Amino acid sequence: MAFLKRVFEVLQKDSYPTVCSFSENGESIIVHSIAEAEKSFLADVFNHSNYNSFVRQLNVYGFRKKRNSSMIEFSHPNFKRDRPDLIAYMARKGGKRKHSEITGDDVYVRTHPHQLGGLLGAPTPGGEETQLMYEMEMCRARLARTEEALFRTHAQAHEYISQLNHGMRTNASLVTSINELRGLLAGFPGGGQHVTQHVSQQGHF
């Protein structure tokens, strides 16, 4: 039931109006953008980016996708804006369950241990498998984010190395030019001191 309450809370607050929201009449859920929902709504609220998993959870609670809609729209008779009391009448497919029961999808909702209030007891039938599936999805999402971070770090390191190599080549070129200049000046009387002084007076050296 925590899954439903969390979804309702986010939609009621209209936290993601351009991504996922209640319909104009408040009787259905509209997903405006799957890609944006995965990056923001699902990632922030459920700590994963699996849109298909979100849809499966809606189906488990009896939501139906509207076929005649031009948008991605899901509805349930007891899921309406401004009516959180109706959620109590919604149940997972396969039968009703007690309010004290918590299954995998409820545990998966991002929450703090103290908020669970010690309600975590023995897993309900099928709940353990569901929880394991969600934990696997969470691990995959974290792995993807880690890989992305490593890729960015590798790219930055490569850029730093390129800049360092460029600086070293520039320095080597300057050293070569200075040595060549010294060699040229050495051929002048007095080691080219008068030439150096002349250039210095002209403000070029």
Side-chain angles (χ1 to χ4, degrees):
M1 195 68 70
F3 169 79
L4 296 176
K5 291 180 179 179
R6 189 64 178 128
V7 173
F8 180 86
E9 177 186 354
V10 173
L11 298 183
Q12 182 71 16
K13 291 181 179 179
D14 203 20
S15 303
Y16 302 86
T18 62
V19 178
C20 187
S21 67
F22 273 119
S23 60
E24 186 174 350
N25 62 11
E27 295 185 352
S28 59
I29 299 173
I30 295 179
V31 179
H32 302 279
S33 170
I34 294 178
E36 290 300 320
E38 291 180 331
K39 288 192 297 184
S40 59
F41 169 64
L42 295 178
D44 295 343
V45 180
F46 298 105
N47 202 28
H48 73 82
S49 302
N50 193 328
Y51 172 75
N52 291 331
S53 176
F54 174 69
V55 173
R56 283 196 297 270
Q57 285 302 312
L58 293 179
N59 292 335
V60 164
Y61 282 99
F63 280 84
R64 291 288 180 266
K65 184 176 181 179
K66 291 190 175 183
R67 302 296 180 183
N68 58 346
S69 175
S70 60
M71 300 174 288
I72 304 175
E73 192 169 1
F74 302 90
S75 64
H76 189 287
N78 292 324
F79 197 88
K80 302 177 184 293
R81 184 171 53 211
D82 301 324
R83 294 297 306 274
D85 55 298
L86 296 178
I87 295 178
Y89 299 99
M90 300 176 67
R92 295 168 60 92
K93 289 182 179 179
K96 297 181 179 180
R97 62 177 189 166
K98 299 178 181 179
H99 291 291
S100 61
E101 291 179 344
I102 295 180
T103 54
D105 63 296
D106 297 314
V107 176
Y108 186 65
V109 175
R110 180 182 292 178
T111 185
H112 296 290
H114 70 272
Q115 292 176 315
L116 295 176
L119 292 178
L120 289 175
T124 57
E128 183 176 359
E129 180 180 353
T130 304
Q131 182 176 350
L132 289 175
M133 290 175 61
Y134 276 117
E135 288 177 351
M136 289 176 62
E137 290 175 1
M138 184 185 297
C139 289
R140 282 196 293 266
R142 288 176 177 172
L143 178 60
R145 290 195 294 270
T146 300
E147 290 177 345
E148 183 180 355
L150 288 174
F151 177 80
R152 289 196 300 268
T153 302
H154 179 269
Q156 292 174 351
H158 185 269
E159 178 65 20
Y160 294 152
I161 292 175
S162 297
Q163 294 177 1
L164 179 61
N165 289 336
H166 177 73
M168 293 176 65
R169 287 193 298 269
T170 301
N171 184 62
S173 178
L174 288 174
V175 171
T176 300
S177 298
I178 291 173
N179 290 335
E180 291 177 351
L181 180 60
R182 287 175 176 172
L184 290 173
L185 294 177
F188 287 93
Q193 291 183 0
H194 67 284
V195 176
T196 302
Q197 293 174 354
H198 174 71
V199 175
S200 178
Q201 291 173 359
Q202 296 297 320
H204 297 296
F205 190 75

